């Protein structure tokens, strides 16, 4: 006689929750780790949720943080579900074996979305495969945009990052009841999620809450406080209110989102501009995270896995046909890239020499990607030899022109390639063997800190996940990175030669491209 499986019930510090049995694992969705951040708690640090009596149902995803939708150009590639409600500081748990005796490795996922979009409800982030393979998987919602990263004179900075810290504390205290080992917690994230992890690695208050970290396509960094203030001030001007948390807390939530989206069009991942970001705050983030980590004053003993995709920038330029337009701009676009990267013309000439067949858009895209993303991660690996593992995702999408773009690796890491939301980026027929390899590496790293290739050393080993079997290559981008250290000029001392004809027209077209990038609605990073 077959035993009837009942829905699992687990006790948390604030009350019991009832999950569901799905495909052989237990799933708990929408568990609050902090109180709703609205009313008197708006723009304030998170506080614990109110305890509840009885058993709380945890079958469905909880509310998502307020956020504007992606533009039409990006919505065809990226999914971003919206769940209404105030109780948006919640998390989800997938576990193969709820109960305090299992002591399984734990992976906590922080989603990307430029700190303005995204949520744990994105179907690509389904934790089933991790739980199936013996890892307790946790995904987290946190405040976004001005609610989470606005900078005000009358409120603490970085409330969204403080939400993530509160979630990690909840996991550390509560995960044993779900079968997890609080001594084997890995925190992982992509893009803005990886940037958040970089800050948490360097945050004194987060020390001891996790043992390992995975940074996918996002470096440790602190944003310029003036850029974030400009975002808030521009919003305040449009709203006709003071640039204070008290004033913004009185603004209708939907109006605040619309205003944020309008002001956010002034920012793009390629051309920069004011944007929301994590800032140094003398409290949670006492100094620039990358410098703290490189100098060795933070996160000692934490094992790292770091990586990027081969064509990150193509997600930023392909939607809306911007790739071809940047190619046509030629020297004008290269001058814009020099300004964005704060470099001289020697960098451009170096990339041209190393990649003679590349078009202007590819040169611009790779320069910006290296400056913003790969070189900082490379510096971090150099500072942590023996305990850092580096990868590059190189499989090109089946969708036209995307190549191995930003966020494409996610469906492989989660082994969710069969989901329609994964096919929006990968196209149909993505290789399951590649998903097996990547997902397996993430599982092994969470379990014992060894993803399956040798750690960073003087030979600069990088695991390449592309067509065919994965393989290790020594320093595949070292020549590109060396161009930056050889650069001795600045934009002021190394002017770009203007073409004899067509310069005004091309400058006008560059301005048009800038406007198109602003209209995409994708902020600094996915």
């Amino acid at each position: 006689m077959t035993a009837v499986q009942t829905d699992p019930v687990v006790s948390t510090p604030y009350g019991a929750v009832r999950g569901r049995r799905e495909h052989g694992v237990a799933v708990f969705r929408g568990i609050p780790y902090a109180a709703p951040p609205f009313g008197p708690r708006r723009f304030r640090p998170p506080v614990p949720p109110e305890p509840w009596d009885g058993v709380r149902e945890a079958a469905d995803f909880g509310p998502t943080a307020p956020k504007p939708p992606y533009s039409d150009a990006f919505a065809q590639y990226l999914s971003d579900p919206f769940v209404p409600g105030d109780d948006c500081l919640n998390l989800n748990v997938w576990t193969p074996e709820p109960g305090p005796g299992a002591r399984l490795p734990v992976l906590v996922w922080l989603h990307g979305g430029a700190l303005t979009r995204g949520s744990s409800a994105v179907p690509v982030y389904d934790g089933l495969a991790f739980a199936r393979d013996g890892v307790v998987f946790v995904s987290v919602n946190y405040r976004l945009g001005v609610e989470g990263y606005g900078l005000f004179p009358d409120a603490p900075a970085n409330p969204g990052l403080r939400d993530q810290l509160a979630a990690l504390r909840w996991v550390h205290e509560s995960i044993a009841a779900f079968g997890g080992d609080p001594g084997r917690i890995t925190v992982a994230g992509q893009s803005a999620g990886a940037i958040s992890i970089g800050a948490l690695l360097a945050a004194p208050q987060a020390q001891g809450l996790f043992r390992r970290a995975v940074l996918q396509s996002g470096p440790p960094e602190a944003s310029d406080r003036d850029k974030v203030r400009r975002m808030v001030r521009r919003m305040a001007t449009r709203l006709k209110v003071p640039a204070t948390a008290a004033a913004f807390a009185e603004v209708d939530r939907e109006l605040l989102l619309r205003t944020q989206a309008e002001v956010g069009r002034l920012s793009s991942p390629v051309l920069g501009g004011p944007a929301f970001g994590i800032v140094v705050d003398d409290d949670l983030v006492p100094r620039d995270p990358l410098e703290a980590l490189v100098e060795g004053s933070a996160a000692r003993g934490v094992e790292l896995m770091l990586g990027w995709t081969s064509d990150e920038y193509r997600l930023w330029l392909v939607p809306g046909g911007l790739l071809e337009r940047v190619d046509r701009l030629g020297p004008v676009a290269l001058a814009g890239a020099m300004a964005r990267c704060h470099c001289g013309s020697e960098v451009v000439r170096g990339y041209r020499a190393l990649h003679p067949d590349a078009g202007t858009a590819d040169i611009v895209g790779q320069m910006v990607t290296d400056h913003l993303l790969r070189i900082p991660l490379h510096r971090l690996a150099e500072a942590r030899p023996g305990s850092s593992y580096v990868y590059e995702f190189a499989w090109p999408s089946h969708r036209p022109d995307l190549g191995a773009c930003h966020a494409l690796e996610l469906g492989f890491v989660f082994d969710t390639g069969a989901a329609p939301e994964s096919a929006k980026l990968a196209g149909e027929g993505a290789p399951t063997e590649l998903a097996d390899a990547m997902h397996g590496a993430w599982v092994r790293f969470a379990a014992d800190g060894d993803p399956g290739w040798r750690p960073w050393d003087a030979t600069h080993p990088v695991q390449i996940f592309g067509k065919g079997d994965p393989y290790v290559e020594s320093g595949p981008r070292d020549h590109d990175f060396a161009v930056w250290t050889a650069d001795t000029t600045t934009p002021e001392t190394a002017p770009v030669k203007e073409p004899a004809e067509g310069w005004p027209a091309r400058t006008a077209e560059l301005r048009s491209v800038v406007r198109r990038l602003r209209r995409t609605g994708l902020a600094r990073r996915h």
Side-chain angles (χ1 to χ4, degrees):
M1 185 174 178
T2 303
V4 177
Q5 286 191 328
T6 59
D7 288 331
V9 176
V10 170
S11 295
T12 79
Y14 306 104
V17 291
R18 179 183 288 110
R20 295 293 184 271
R21 294 278 180 184
E22 298 178 6
H23 307 287
V25 306
V27 186
F28 302 80
R29 298 182 177 91
I31 304 172
Y33 65 84
F38 300 106
R41 293 186 288 267
R42 202 171 182 189
F43 299 105
R44 311 307 301 180
V47 298
E50 289 291 329
W52 58 88
D53 297 324
V55 179
R56 181 184 181 117
E57 294 297 327
D60 301 318
F61 285 112
T64 52
K67 57 187 175 177
Y70 280 120
S71 67
D72 291 343
F74 281 92
Q76 63 176 308
Y77 298 106
L78 303 172
S79 297
D80 197 9
F82 169 71
V83 181
D86 287 354
D87 208 355
C88 62
L89 300 187
N90 59 70
L91 50 76
N92 319 293
V93 181
W94 283 256
T95 177
E97 192 175 343
R103 309 293 287 186
L104 296 170
V106 180
L107 191 146
V108 179
W109 178 252
L110 301 181
H111 66 80
L115 300 177
T116 58
R117 294 175 174 83
S119 79
S120 64
V122 173
V124 177
Y125 306 151
D126 190 287
L128 171 63
F130 280 102
R132 174 200 68 198
D133 294 333
V135 176
V136 177
F137 179 84
V138 182
S139 56
V140 177
N141 282 340
Y142 54 92
R143 277 175 284 181
L144 302 168
V146 71
E147 302 270 5
Y149 296 93
L151 192 55
F152 299 98
D154 55 338
N158 301 315
L161 188 67
R162 296 173 193 274
D163 295 343
Q164 296 169 5
L165 178 63
L168 282 172
R169 285 174 171 156
W170 185 97
V171 171
H172 198 264
E173 296 168 359
S174 308
I175 205 63
F178 293 85
D181 182 349
R184 285 199 292 167
I185 295 173
T186 298
V187 60
Q190 186 265 350
S191 196
I195 293 170
S196 300
I197 291 169
L200 291 167
L201 279 165
Q205 297 177 41
Q207 302 310 298
L209 294 180
F210 51 89
R211 182 172 175 179
R212 303 181 180 104
V214 183
L215 283 73
Q216 300 173 218
S217 299
E221 67 173 17
S223 295
D224 183 273
R225 292 175 67 93
D226 286 338
K227 282 189 175 183
V228 180
R229 284 195 188 98
R230 285 205 299 274
M231 286 287 287
V232 172
R233 288 169 182 163
R234 288 175 179 178
M235 290 183 65
T237 298
R238 287 175 178 259
L239 292 166
K240 297 181 173 57
V241 300
T244 64
F248 273 52
E250 297 299 320
V251 176
D252 173 77
R253 204 178 304 175
E254 293 302 318
L255 175 59
L256 200 63
L257 279 181
R258 290 196 301 271
T259 306
Q260 176 184 302
E262 292 167 0
V263 172
R265 294 191 182 100
L266 300 174
S267 177
S268 83
V270 175
L271 298 174
F276 292 114
I278 296 164
V279 298
V280 172
D281 59 11
D282 299 322
D283 173 23
L284 182 57
V285 187
R287 58 179 301 198
D288 179 85
L290 180 61
E291 298 308 318
L293 291 167
V294 167
E295 292 176 12
S297 61
R300 293 182 182 274
V302 176
E303 297 159 317
L304 303 176
M305 186 160 69
L306 321 165
W308 48 74
T309 73
S310 297
D311 306 304
E312 301 271 3
Y313 63 95
R314 286 185 169 260
L315 182 63
W316 307 329
L317 292 181
V318 168
L322 297 176
L323 194 76
E324 297 82 1
R325 300 189 68 182
V326 171
D327 266 334
R328 289 199 303 269
L329 288 168
V332 182
L334 292 170
M338 286 167 54
R340 178 78 169 104
C341 298
H342 310 290
C343 68
S345 58
E346 279 79 359
V347 170
V348 174
R349 288 197 290 269
Y351 275 75
R352 284 290 196 203
L354 290 168
H355 309 283
D357 297 326
T360 297
D362 288 317
I363 295 293
V364 167
Q366 294 293 6
M367 280 178 58
V368 172
T369 300
D370 285 348
H371 171 70
L372 294 177
L373 194 157
R374 293 194 188 108
I375 291 175
L377 290 176
H378 184 269
R379 286 185 62 200
L380 182 54
E382 283 283 83
R384 303 292 177 106
S387 60
S388 300
Y389 297 84
V390 178
Y391 73 89
E392 177 166 331
F393 179 82
W395 181 81
S397 171
H398 287 163
R399 297 205 61 181
D401 300 321
L402 283 181
C405 70
H406 194 65
L408 179 58
E409 86 281 11
L410 293 171
F412 297 89
V413 168
F414 282 83
D415 195 11
T416 50
E421 292 79 7
S422 289
K424 290 175 75 171
L425 266 185
E428 299 297 331
T432 57
E433 299 84 359
L434 181 57
D436 292 341
M438 291 198 75
H439 176 71
W442 267 243
V443 168
R444 288 190 295 273
F445 185 73
D448 60 24
D450 182 357
W453 63 93
R454 71 181 189 273
W456 194 259
D457 58 25
T459 67
H460 295 177
V462 177
Q463 176 85 337
I464 308 296
F465 293 101
K467 293 182 177 180
D469 294 332
Y471 61 94
V472 171
E473 185 173 345
S474 294
R477 295 191 177 271
D478 283 3
H479 291 300
D480 287 352
F481 298 160
V483 169
W484 297 84
T485 58
D487 177 37
T488 58
T489 64
T490 65
E492 291 76 22
T493 61
V496 174
K497 183 179 179 181
E498 298 185 6
E501 297 180 0
W503 184 262
R506 290 188 178 190
T507 302
E509 186 171 5
L510 178 61
R511 286 196 292 267
S512 174
V513 169
V514 172
R515 289 193 293 270
R516 291 284 297 281
L517 281 167
R518 290 169 179 170
R519 286 197 296 270
T520 62
L522 188 71
R524 295 179 61 213
R525 297 196 218 291
H526 164 51

